[in-house]
Structure formats: structure tokens, C-alpha cells
Amino acid sequence: MGTTEKTIKIDEPTARLVDDLAYLFRSTKKSIVRDAMLEFAAARRPERELAATEGRVTIDSLTLRERLALRRPELLREFARNDATEVRVFELDVADAEPVLLVVTDVVAGNGVEVILEEVARGILLMPIEVISMTRMRLRTPERLPELYARSRPL
């Protein structure tokens, strides 16, 4: 079976990086892109074997756990850009409830940061997500924090 070459479009900074890496490793740009894509896929492989499913798999067909496994680095990076750290997933008792992420936020950011983080998470995971600031809870209702912390796990 022969291979078919296809052109892909990338932005200028990424193209320069591919050029630099190809030069540094004395390799071709094609092999740099191929290796990067294989590493990207291996690092973000969802828990279940996607190849075993029929047809193409989309993010809409994945469970929350699989979406989080697949998009974890991106979610953590975007939350960090909004000064949110220590991201935790709250374990819900009800299967159809909206997923909840607990985060430590910057005190100065105030309550509005939760809405921003919900939008960020919704854009990455493509599903409704509730974000609760553990910083806000520590200030307003500290008695609830140990229970929420105990019923959550690190992302």
C-alpha cells in the first residue's frame, strides 16, 4: 500500500519551529510533524480503545473521564492562564448531573473568574461544566470545603 502525501497548513511560528527542529535533528520536516503527531496522540489517548469502535469517534461520543484524559493538558494550561490551579474533579452521585471542577483561584480575581473558567472548560470539553472556586469557599463557607475536597480527585 503506497502513501499519499497531503499538504497541511500551519501558522508561521509553528512552521519556523518545525524548520528549526528538522535542522537540529538532521531530519525531514515530514518526520518531525509525523513524530509530533504520534506523540501527541499517545499522550492524549482516552482510556478506552477508540480503534475498537465503529466509524469515526468524535469528542461528543466520549465520556467526561475520556474527555478529561484527552484534553487534560490543554485544560490545565488554559486554567493556569486564568490563574486557576489545583484543578480537581468532583465525583457526583447523580449520573446526569453537570460535571463540577474545583479550582484554587486568585483572590483578586473575584467571583467572575468562575464564569470565565466555565466558558474555557466548556470550549475545551464541549459540554457544560460547573467550576467552583475553593478560594471563594475558603473565605465564605470554609466548613464545606473538607467534604468537597474529600469527594474530588486531582485532574
Side-chain angles (χ1 to χ4, degrees), residues 17-53:
L17 181 59
V18 170
D19 288 341
D20 292 347
L21 289 172
Y23 178 78
L24 177 68
F25 294 119
R26 296 182 182 191
S27 182
T28 65
K29 290 188 268 185
K30 287 181 214 174
S31 66
I32 295 294
V33 172
R34 182 190 62 241
D35 291 349
M37 291 305 303
L38 291 172
E39 189 171 322
F40 176 88
R44 289 161 178 81
R45 188 96 177 149
E47 292 175 10
R48 69 179 168 164
E49 186 58 44
L50 296 180
T53 61

PDB file of all heavy atoms in Angstrom, residues 17-53:
ATOM      1  N   LEU A  17       9.332  26.610  13.873  1.00  0.00           N
ATOM      2  CA  LEU A  17       9.737  25.605  14.856  1.00  0.00           C
ATOM      3  C   LEU A  17      10.012  24.265  14.179  1.00  0.00           C
ATOM      4  O   LEU A  17      11.012  23.602  14.471  1.00  0.00           O
ATOM      5  CB  LEU A  17       8.658  25.453  15.931  1.00  0.00           C
ATOM      6  CG  LEU A  17       8.948  24.443  17.038  1.00  0.00           C
ATOM      7  CD1 LEU A  17      10.231  24.788  17.777  1.00  0.00           C
ATOM      8  CD2 LEU A  17       7.768  24.374  17.997  1.00  0.00           C
ATOM      9  N   VAL A  18       9.147  23.867  13.248  1.00  0.00           N
ATOM     10  CA  VAL A  18       9.343  22.611  12.512  1.00  0.00           C
ATOM     11  C   VAL A  18      10.646  22.690  11.717  1.00  0.00           C
ATOM     12  O   VAL A  18      11.441  21.742  11.718  1.00  0.00           O
ATOM     13  CB  VAL A  18       8.139  22.303  11.594  1.00  0.00           C
ATOM     14  CG1 VAL A  18       8.448  21.151  10.648  1.00  0.00           C
ATOM     15  CG2 VAL A  18       6.901  22.003  12.422  1.00  0.00           C
ATOM     16  N   ASP A  19      10.887  23.814  11.063  1.00  0.00           N
ATOM     17  CA  ASP A  19      12.142  24.006  10.313  1.00  0.00           C
ATOM     18  C   ASP A  19      13.356  23.879  11.233  1.00  0.00           C
ATOM     19  O   ASP A  19      14.324  23.181  10.908  1.00  0.00           O
ATOM     20  CB  ASP A  19      12.176  25.385   9.638  1.00  0.00           C
ATOM     21  CG  ASP A  19      11.233  25.497   8.454  1.00  0.00           C
ATOM     22  OD1 ASP A  19      10.811  24.447   7.922  1.00  0.00           O
ATOM     23  OD2 ASP A  19      10.902  26.636   8.078  1.00  0.00           O
ATOM     24  N   ASP A  20      13.297  24.556  12.375  1.00  0.00           N
ATOM     25  CA  ASP A  20      14.422  24.522  13.317  1.00  0.00           C
ATOM     26  C   ASP A  20      14.676  23.117  13.849  1.00  0.00           C
ATOM     27  O   ASP A  20      15.816  22.673  13.967  1.00  0.00           O
ATOM     28  CB  ASP A  20      14.176  25.480  14.487  1.00  0.00           C
ATOM     29  CG  ASP A  20      14.207  26.942  14.065  1.00  0.00           C
ATOM     30  OD1 ASP A  20      14.658  27.238  12.934  1.00  0.00           O
ATOM     31  OD2 ASP A  20      13.757  27.784  14.876  1.00  0.00           O
ATOM     32  N   LEU A  21      13.587  22.407  14.184  1.00  0.00           N
ATOM     33  CA  LEU A  21      13.748  21.042  14.698  1.00  0.00           C
ATOM     34  C   LEU A  21      14.296  20.102  13.631  1.00  0.00           C
ATOM     35  O   LEU A  21      15.141  19.249  13.927  1.00  0.00           O
ATOM     36  CB  LEU A  21      12.412  20.525  15.238  1.00  0.00           C
ATOM     37  CG  LEU A  21      11.944  21.176  16.543  1.00  0.00           C
ATOM     38  CD1 LEU A  21      10.520  20.731  16.864  1.00  0.00           C
ATOM     39  CD2 LEU A  21      12.880  20.836  17.677  1.00  0.00           C
ATOM     40  N   ALA A  22      13.819  20.249  12.404  1.00  0.00           N
ATOM     41  CA  ALA A  22      14.330  19.408  11.316  1.00  0.00           C
ATOM     42  C   ALA A  22      15.829  19.651  11.115  1.00  0.00           C
ATOM     43  O   ALA A  22      16.600  18.702  10.936  1.00  0.00           O
ATOM     44  CB  ALA A  22      13.563  19.690  10.030  1.00  0.00           C
ATOM     45  N   TYR A  23      16.239  20.905  11.172  1.00  0.00           N
ATOM     46  CA  TYR A  23      17.653  21.228  11.027  1.00  0.00           C
ATOM     47  C   TYR A  23      18.457  20.672  12.204  1.00  0.00           C
ATOM     48  O   TYR A  23      19.503  20.049  12.021  1.00  0.00           O
ATOM     49  CB  TYR A  23      17.832  22.746  10.926  1.00  0.00           C
ATOM     50  CG  TYR A  23      19.266  23.173  10.825  1.00  0.00           C
ATOM     51  CD1 TYR A  23      19.954  23.067   9.624  1.00  0.00           C
ATOM     52  CD2 TYR A  23      19.942  23.673  11.944  1.00  0.00           C
ATOM     53  CE1 TYR A  23      21.293  23.450   9.527  1.00  0.00           C
ATOM     54  CE2 TYR A  23      21.271  24.049  11.853  1.00  0.00           C
ATOM     55  CZ  TYR A  23      21.936  23.934  10.648  1.00  0.00           C
ATOM     56  OH  TYR A  23      23.253  24.305  10.557  1.00  0.00           O
ATOM     57  N   LEU A  24      17.964  20.891  13.422  1.00  0.00           N
ATOM     58  CA  LEU A  24      18.652  20.450  14.623  1.00  0.00           C
ATOM     59  C   LEU A  24      18.856  18.937  14.643  1.00  0.00           C
ATOM     60  O   LEU A  24      19.939  18.442  14.959  1.00  0.00           O
ATOM     61  CB  LEU A  24      17.862  20.884  15.868  1.00  0.00           C
ATOM     62  CG  LEU A  24      18.419  20.433  17.216  1.00  0.00           C
ATOM     63  CD1 LEU A  24      19.745  21.131  17.504  1.00  0.00           C
ATOM     64  CD2 LEU A  24      17.412  20.737  18.322  1.00  0.00           C
ATOM     65  N   PHE A  25      17.809  18.194  14.285  1.00  0.00           N
ATOM     66  CA  PHE A  25      17.873  16.732  14.336  1.00  0.00           C
ATOM     67  C   PHE A  25      18.309  16.098  13.012  1.00  0.00           C
ATOM     68  O   PHE A  25      18.285  14.880  12.876  1.00  0.00           O
ATOM     69  CB  PHE A  25      16.520  16.160  14.766  1.00  0.00           C
ATOM     70  CG  PHE A  25      16.149  16.526  16.170  1.00  0.00           C
ATOM     71  CD1 PHE A  25      15.015  17.261  16.436  1.00  0.00           C
ATOM     72  CD2 PHE A  25      16.945  16.142  17.240  1.00  0.00           C
ATOM     73  CE1 PHE A  25      14.662  17.607  17.735  1.00  0.00           C
ATOM     74  CE2 PHE A  25      16.614  16.470  18.539  1.00  0.00           C
ATOM     75  CZ  PHE A  25      15.470  17.214  18.782  1.00  0.00           C
ATOM     76  N   ARG A  26      18.668  16.939  12.045  1.00  0.00           N
ATOM     77  CA  ARG A  26      19.064  16.448  10.715  1.00  0.00           C
ATOM     78  C   ARG A  26      18.035  15.463  10.182  1.00  0.00           C
ATOM     79  O   ARG A  26      18.338  14.325   9.830  1.00  0.00           O
ATOM     80  CB  ARG A  26      20.448  15.816  10.766  1.00  0.00           C
ATOM     81  CG  ARG A  26      21.505  16.803  11.112  1.00  0.00           C
ATOM     82  CD  ARG A  26      22.863  16.184  11.115  1.00  0.00           C
ATOM     83  NE  ARG A  26      23.827  17.197  11.513  1.00  0.00           N
ATOM     84  CZ  ARG A  26      25.110  17.025  11.421  1.00  0.00           C
ATOM     85  NH1 ARG A  26      25.599  15.917  10.977  1.00  0.00           N
ATOM     86  NH2 ARG A  26      25.913  17.991  11.812  1.00  0.00           N
ATOM     87  N   SER A  27      16.819  15.956  10.154  1.00  0.00           N
ATOM     88  CA  SER A  27      15.680  15.134   9.773  1.00  0.00           C
ATOM     89  C   SER A  27      14.843  15.910   8.763  1.00  0.00           C
ATOM     90  O   SER A  27      15.128  17.070   8.455  1.00  0.00           O
ATOM     91  CB  SER A  27      14.856  14.828  11.033  1.00  0.00           C
ATOM     92  OG  SER A  27      13.779  14.007  10.734  1.00  0.00           O
ATOM     93  N   THR A  28      13.800  15.282   8.273  1.00  0.00           N
ATOM     94  CA  THR A  28      12.892  15.977   7.365  1.00  0.00           C
ATOM     95  C   THR A  28      11.764  16.617   8.166  1.00  0.00           C
ATOM     96  O   THR A  28      11.442  16.181   9.276  1.00  0.00           O
ATOM     97  CB  THR A  28      12.272  15.011   6.340  1.00  0.00           C
ATOM     98  OG1 THR A  28      11.451  14.072   7.044  1.00  0.00           O
ATOM     99  CG2 THR A  28      13.346  14.284   5.542  1.00  0.00           C
ATOM    100  N   LYS A  29      11.164  17.640   7.588  1.00  0.00           N
ATOM    101  CA  LYS A  29      10.026  18.293   8.250  1.00  0.00           C
ATOM    102  C   LYS A  29       8.860  17.315   8.372  1.00  0.00           C
ATOM    103  O   LYS A  29       8.154  17.314   9.378  1.00  0.00           O
ATOM    104  CB  LYS A  29       9.614  19.542   7.472  1.00  0.00           C
ATOM    105  CG  LYS A  29      10.645  20.657   7.580  1.00  0.00           C
ATOM    106  CD  LYS A  29      10.140  21.936   6.981  1.00  0.00           C
ATOM    107  CE  LYS A  29      10.547  22.029   5.540  1.00  0.00           C
ATOM    108  NZ  LYS A  29      10.191  23.299   4.915  1.00  0.00           N
ATOM    109  N   LYS A  30       8.700  16.450   7.385  1.00  0.00           N
ATOM    110  CA  LYS A  30       7.619  15.453   7.430  1.00  0.00           C
ATOM    111  C   LYS A  30       7.773  14.532   8.630  1.00  0.00           C
ATOM    112  O   LYS A  30       6.807  14.227   9.318  1.00  0.00           O
ATOM    113  CB  LYS A  30       7.623  14.597   6.152  1.00  0.00           C
ATOM    114  CG  LYS A  30       7.138  15.296   4.941  1.00  0.00           C
ATOM    115  CD  LYS A  30       7.166  14.332   3.781  1.00  0.00           C
ATOM    116  CE  LYS A  30       7.492  15.074   2.517  1.00  0.00           C
ATOM    117  NZ  LYS A  30       7.669  14.193   1.390  1.00  0.00           N
ATOM    118  N   SER A  31       9.001  14.082   8.890  1.00  0.00           N
ATOM    119  CA  SER A  31       9.199  13.163  10.013  1.00  0.00           C
ATOM    120  C   SER A  31       9.020  13.881  11.348  1.00  0.00           C
ATOM    121  O   SER A  31       8.520  13.291  12.303  1.00  0.00           O
ATOM    122  CB  SER A  31      10.564  12.485   9.942  1.00  0.00           C
ATOM    123  OG  SER A  31      11.594  13.419  10.105  1.00  0.00           O
ATOM    124  N   ILE A  32       9.395  15.154  11.413  1.00  0.00           N
ATOM    125  CA  ILE A  32       9.186  15.929  12.648  1.00  0.00           C
ATOM    126  C   ILE A  32       7.692  16.040  12.930  1.00  0.00           C
ATOM    127  O   ILE A  32       7.240  15.792  14.058  1.00  0.00           O
ATOM    128  CB  ILE A  32       9.818  17.335  12.531  1.00  0.00           C
ATOM    129  CG1 ILE A  32      11.344  17.244  12.417  1.00  0.00           C
ATOM    130  CG2 ILE A  32       9.390  18.236  13.685  1.00  0.00           C
ATOM    131  CD1 ILE A  32      12.043  16.708  13.640  1.00  0.00           C
ATOM    132  N   VAL A  33       6.910  16.396  11.937  1.00  0.00           N
ATOM    133  CA  VAL A  33       5.454  16.534  12.112  1.00  0.00           C
ATOM    134  C   VAL A  33       4.831  15.181  12.442  1.00  0.00           C
ATOM    135  O   VAL A  33       4.012  15.070  13.353  1.00  0.00           O
ATOM    136  CB  VAL A  33       4.804  17.165  10.860  1.00  0.00           C
ATOM    137  CG1 VAL A  33       3.294  17.118  10.953  1.00  0.00           C
ATOM    138  CG2 VAL A  33       5.291  18.600  10.681  1.00  0.00           C
ATOM    139  N   ARG A  34       5.237  14.118  11.736  1.00  0.00           N
ATOM    140  CA  ARG A  34       4.693  12.782  11.989  1.00  0.00           C
ATOM    141  C   ARG A  34       4.992  12.342  13.427  1.00  0.00           C
ATOM    142  O   ARG A  34       4.098  11.894  14.149  1.00  0.00           O
ATOM    143  CB  ARG A  34       5.261  11.765  10.999  1.00  0.00           C
ATOM    144  CG  ARG A  34       4.673  10.354  11.190  1.00  0.00           C
ATOM    145  CD  ARG A  34       5.394   9.285  10.383  1.00  0.00           C
ATOM    146  NE  ARG A  34       6.783   9.200  10.830  1.00  0.00           N
ATOM    147  CZ  ARG A  34       7.841   9.437  10.047  1.00  0.00           C
ATOM    148  NH1 ARG A  34       7.679   9.752   8.794  1.00  0.00           N
ATOM    149  NH2 ARG A  34       9.065   9.355  10.535  1.00  0.00           N
ATOM    150  N   ASP A  35       6.251  12.490  13.845  1.00  0.00           N
ATOM    151  CA  ASP A  35       6.621  12.086  15.201  1.00  0.00           C
ATOM    152  C   ASP A  35       5.876  12.902  16.257  1.00  0.00           C
ATOM    153  O   ASP A  35       5.437  12.364  17.270  1.00  0.00           O
ATOM    154  CB  ASP A  35       8.130  12.238  15.411  1.00  0.00           C
ATOM    155  CG  ASP A  35       8.941  11.229  14.599  1.00  0.00           C
ATOM    156  OD1 ASP A  35       8.333  10.281  14.043  1.00  0.00           O
ATOM    157  OD2 ASP A  35      10.171  11.403  14.514  1.00  0.00           O
ATOM    158  N   ALA A  36       5.721  14.202  16.018  1.00  0.00           N
ATOM    159  CA  ALA A  36       4.995  15.053  16.961  1.00  0.00           C
ATOM    160  C   ALA A  36       3.532  14.629  17.061  1.00  0.00           C
ATOM    161  O   ALA A  36       2.961  14.578  18.160  1.00  0.00           O
ATOM    162  CB  ALA A  36       5.092  16.514  16.541  1.00  0.00           C
ATOM    163  N   MET A  37       2.928  14.301  15.953  1.00  0.00           N
ATOM    164  CA  MET A  37       1.525  13.874  15.958  1.00  0.00           C
ATOM    165  C   MET A  37       1.361  12.528  16.661  1.00  0.00           C
ATOM    166  O   MET A  37       0.411  12.329  17.418  1.00  0.00           O
ATOM    167  CB  MET A  37       0.959  13.795  14.531  1.00  0.00           C
ATOM    168  CG  MET A  37       0.793  15.143  13.879  1.00  0.00           C
ATOM    169  SD  MET A  37      -0.212  16.304  14.833  1.00  0.00           S
ATOM    170  CE  MET A  37      -1.723  15.401  15.007  1.00  0.00           C
ATOM    171  N   LEU A  38       2.291  11.607  16.442  1.00  0.00           N
ATOM    172  CA  LEU A  38       2.213  10.315  17.117  1.00  0.00           C
ATOM    173  C   LEU A  38       2.377  10.469  18.629  1.00  0.00           C
ATOM    174  O   LEU A  38       1.669   9.840  19.408  1.00  0.00           O
ATOM    175  CB  LEU A  38       3.269   9.357  16.557  1.00  0.00           C
ATOM    176  CG  LEU A  38       3.027   8.879  15.123  1.00  0.00           C
ATOM    177  CD1 LEU A  38       4.232   8.096  14.614  1.00  0.00           C
ATOM    178  CD2 LEU A  38       1.763   8.055  15.032  1.00  0.00           C
ATOM    179  N   GLU A  39       3.294  11.335  19.034  1.00  0.00           N
ATOM    180  CA  GLU A  39       3.493  11.581  20.461  1.00  0.00           C
ATOM    181  C   GLU A  39       2.275  12.287  21.063  1.00  0.00           C
ATOM    182  O   GLU A  39       1.833  11.965  22.162  1.00  0.00           O
ATOM    183  CB  GLU A  39       4.745  12.424  20.679  1.00  0.00           C
ATOM    184  CG  GLU A  39       5.122  12.533  22.136  1.00  0.00           C
ATOM    185  CD  GLU A  39       6.483  13.186  22.324  1.00  0.00           C
ATOM    186  OE1 GLU A  39       7.392  12.934  21.518  1.00  0.00           O
ATOM    187  OE2 GLU A  39       6.614  13.945  23.290  1.00  0.00           O
ATOM    188  N   PHE A  40       1.722  13.230  20.327  1.00  0.00           N
ATOM    189  CA  PHE A  40       0.520  13.944  20.776  1.00  0.00           C
ATOM    190  C   PHE A  40      -0.624  12.951  20.984  1.00  0.00           C
ATOM    191  O   PHE A  40      -1.286  12.971  22.017  1.00  0.00           O
ATOM    192  CB  PHE A  40       0.129  14.987  19.717  1.00  0.00           C
ATOM    193  CG  PHE A  40      -1.138  15.726  20.021  1.00  0.00           C
ATOM    194  CD1 PHE A  40      -1.106  16.883  20.784  1.00  0.00           C
ATOM    195  CD2 PHE A  40      -2.357  15.281  19.532  1.00  0.00           C
ATOM    196  CE1 PHE A  40      -2.275  17.583  21.057  1.00  0.00           C
ATOM    197  CE2 PHE A  40      -3.527  15.970  19.808  1.00  0.00           C
ATOM    198  CZ  PHE A  40      -3.483  17.130  20.574  1.00  0.00           C
ATOM    199  N   ALA A  41      -0.839  12.069  20.031  1.00  0.00           N
ATOM    200  CA  ALA A  41      -1.931  11.092  20.132  1.00  0.00           C
ATOM    201  C   ALA A  41      -1.696  10.112  21.277  1.00  0.00           C
ATOM    202  O   ALA A  41      -2.622   9.778  22.018  1.00  0.00           O
ATOM    203  CB  ALA A  41      -2.080  10.336  18.810  1.00  0.00           C
ATOM    204  N   ALA A  42      -0.463   9.667  21.455  1.00  0.00           N
ATOM    205  CA  ALA A  42      -0.163   8.712  22.523  1.00  0.00           C
ATOM    206  C   ALA A  42      -0.370   9.339  23.904  1.00  0.00           C
ATOM    207  O   ALA A  42      -0.876   8.692  24.813  1.00  0.00           O
ATOM    208  CB  ALA A  42       1.273   8.210  22.388  1.00  0.00           C
ATOM    209  N   ALA A  43      -0.022  10.606  24.046  1.00  0.00           N
ATOM    210  CA  ALA A  43      -0.148  11.277  25.337  1.00  0.00           C
ATOM    211  C   ALA A  43      -1.596  11.574  25.698  1.00  0.00           C
ATOM    212  O   ALA A  43      -1.933  11.715  26.860  1.00  0.00           O
ATOM    213  CB  ALA A  43       0.651  12.580  25.322  1.00  0.00           C
ATOM    214  N   ARG A  44      -2.472  11.657  24.705  1.00  0.00           N
ATOM    215  CA  ARG A  44      -3.857  12.046  24.957  1.00  0.00           C
ATOM    216  C   ARG A  44      -4.856  10.936  24.660  1.00  0.00           C
ATOM    217  O   ARG A  44      -6.035  11.168  24.552  1.00  0.00           O
ATOM    218  CB  ARG A  44      -4.195  13.273  24.127  1.00  0.00           C
ATOM    219  CG  ARG A  44      -3.503  14.505  24.652  1.00  0.00           C
ATOM    220  CD  ARG A  44      -3.454  15.595  23.633  1.00  0.00           C
ATOM    221  NE  ARG A  44      -2.830  16.796  24.157  1.00  0.00           N
ATOM    222  CZ  ARG A  44      -1.530  16.976  24.239  1.00  0.00           C
ATOM    223  NH1 ARG A  44      -0.705  16.036  23.844  1.00  0.00           N
ATOM    224  NH2 ARG A  44      -1.030  18.082  24.722  1.00  0.00           N
ATOM    225  N   ARG A  45      -4.377   9.739  24.547  1.00  0.00           N
ATOM    226  CA  ARG A  45      -5.239   8.600  24.233  1.00  0.00           C
ATOM    227  C   ARG A  45      -6.277   8.402  25.334  1.00  0.00           C
ATOM    228  O   ARG A  45      -5.926   8.229  26.485  1.00  0.00           O
ATOM    229  CB  ARG A  45      -4.390   7.343  24.121  1.00  0.00           C
ATOM    230  CG  ARG A  45      -5.122   6.150  23.627  1.00  0.00           C
ATOM    231  CD  ARG A  45      -4.900   6.023  22.174  1.00  0.00           C
ATOM    232  NE  ARG A  45      -5.548   4.823  21.703  1.00  0.00           N
ATOM    233  CZ  ARG A  45      -6.023   4.736  20.510  1.00  0.00           C
ATOM    234  NH1 ARG A  45      -5.900   5.742  19.696  1.00  0.00           N
ATOM    235  NH2 ARG A  45      -6.595   3.657  20.106  1.00  0.00           N
ATOM    236  N   PRO A  46      -7.562   8.420  24.990  1.00  0.00           N
ATOM    237  CA  PRO A  46      -8.588   8.164  26.005  1.00  0.00           C
ATOM    238  C   PRO A  46      -8.452   6.772  26.590  1.00  0.00           C
ATOM    239  O   PRO A  46      -7.789   5.912  26.032  1.00  0.00           O
ATOM    240  CB  PRO A  46      -9.893   8.290  25.226  1.00  0.00           C
ATOM    241  CG  PRO A  46      -9.553   9.108  24.039  1.00  0.00           C
ATOM    242  CD  PRO A  46      -8.130   8.759  23.702  1.00  0.00           C
ATOM    243  N   GLU A  47      -9.098   6.557  27.711  1.00  0.00           N
ATOM    244  CA  GLU A  47      -8.946   5.307  28.444  1.00  0.00           C
ATOM    245  C   GLU A  47      -9.427   4.092  27.656  1.00  0.00           C
ATOM    246  O   GLU A  47      -8.850   3.029  27.735  1.00  0.00           O
ATOM    247  CB  GLU A  47      -9.694   5.399  29.771  1.00  0.00           C
ATOM    248  CG  GLU A  47      -9.054   6.391  30.700  1.00  0.00           C
ATOM    249  CD  GLU A  47      -9.839   6.584  31.966  1.00  0.00           C
ATOM    250  OE1 GLU A  47     -10.781   5.808  32.217  1.00  0.00           O
ATOM    251  OE2 GLU A  47      -9.516   7.508  32.704  1.00  0.00           O
ATOM    252  N   ARG A  48     -10.503   4.219  26.915  1.00  0.00           N
ATOM    253  CA  ARG A  48     -10.966   3.051  26.173  1.00  0.00           C
ATOM    254  C   ARG A  48     -10.285   2.984  24.815  1.00  0.00           C
ATOM    255  O   ARG A  48      -9.751   3.966  24.331  1.00  0.00           O
ATOM    256  CB  ARG A  48     -12.488   3.070  26.022  1.00  0.00           C
ATOM    257  CG  ARG A  48     -12.996   4.149  25.123  1.00  0.00           C
ATOM    258  CD  ARG A  48     -14.497   4.044  25.032  1.00  0.00           C
ATOM    259  NE  ARG A  48     -14.971   5.261  24.396  1.00  0.00           N
ATOM    260  CZ  ARG A  48     -16.148   5.394  23.887  1.00  0.00           C
ATOM    261  NH1 ARG A  48     -17.000   4.423  23.923  1.00  0.00           N
ATOM    262  NH2 ARG A  48     -16.511   6.535  23.332  1.00  0.00           N
ATOM    263  N   GLU A  49     -10.308   1.845  24.212  1.00  0.00           N
ATOM    264  CA  GLU A  49      -9.651   1.652  22.925  1.00  0.00           C
ATOM    265  C   GLU A  49     -10.542   2.209  21.821  1.00  0.00           C
ATOM    266  O   GLU A  49     -11.559   1.632  21.468  1.00  0.00           O
ATOM    267  CB  GLU A  49      -9.382   0.157  22.686  1.00  0.00           C
ATOM    268  CG  GLU A  49      -8.566  -0.129  21.449  1.00  0.00           C
ATOM    269  CD  GLU A  49      -7.216   0.571  21.460  1.00  0.00           C
ATOM    270  OE1 GLU A  49      -6.544   0.557  22.489  1.00  0.00           O
ATOM    271  OE2 GLU A  49      -6.846   1.133  20.422  1.00  0.00           O
ATOM    272  N   LEU A  50     -10.180   3.359  21.287  1.00  0.00           N
ATOM    273  CA  LEU A  50     -11.020   4.020  20.295  1.00  0.00           C
ATOM    274  C   LEU A  50     -11.055   3.265  18.974  1.00  0.00           C
ATOM    275  O   LEU A  50     -12.037   3.318  18.256  1.00  0.00           O
ATOM    276  CB  LEU A  50     -10.528   5.449  20.062  1.00  0.00           C
ATOM    277  CG  LEU A  50     -10.627   6.377  21.267  1.00  0.00           C
ATOM    278  CD1 LEU A  50     -10.107   7.756  20.897  1.00  0.00           C
ATOM    279  CD2 LEU A  50     -12.044   6.465  21.770  1.00  0.00           C
ATOM    280  N   ALA A  51     -10.003   2.542  18.671  1.00  0.00           N
ATOM    281  CA  ALA A  51      -9.966   1.816  17.406  1.00  0.00           C
ATOM    282  C   ALA A  51     -11.015   0.715  17.357  1.00  0.00           C
ATOM    283  O   ALA A  51     -11.406   0.269  16.289  1.00  0.00           O
ATOM    284  CB  ALA A  51      -8.577   1.233  17.186  1.00  0.00           C
ATOM    285  N   ALA A  52     -11.476   0.272  18.511  1.00  0.00           N
ATOM    286  CA  ALA A  52     -12.447  -0.813  18.559  1.00  0.00           C
ATOM    287  C   ALA A  52     -13.865  -0.345  18.250  1.00  0.00           C
ATOM    288  O   ALA A  52     -14.747  -1.156  18.023  1.00  0.00           O
ATOM    289  CB  ALA A  52     -12.426  -1.476  19.937  1.00  0.00           C
ATOM    290  N   THR A  53     -14.083   0.954  18.219  1.00  0.00           N
ATOM    291  CA  THR A  53     -15.422   1.458  17.947  1.00  0.00           C
ATOM    292  C   THR A  53     -15.648   1.534  16.447  1.00  0.00           C
ATOM    293  O   THR A  53     -14.717   1.667  15.673  1.00  0.00           O
ATOM    294  CB  THR A  53     -15.632   2.842  18.574  1.00  0.00           C
ATOM    295  OG1 THR A  53     -14.682   3.736  18.005  1.00  0.00           O
ATOM    296  CG2 THR A  53     -15.478   2.799  20.077  1.00  0.00           C
TER     297      THR A  53
END
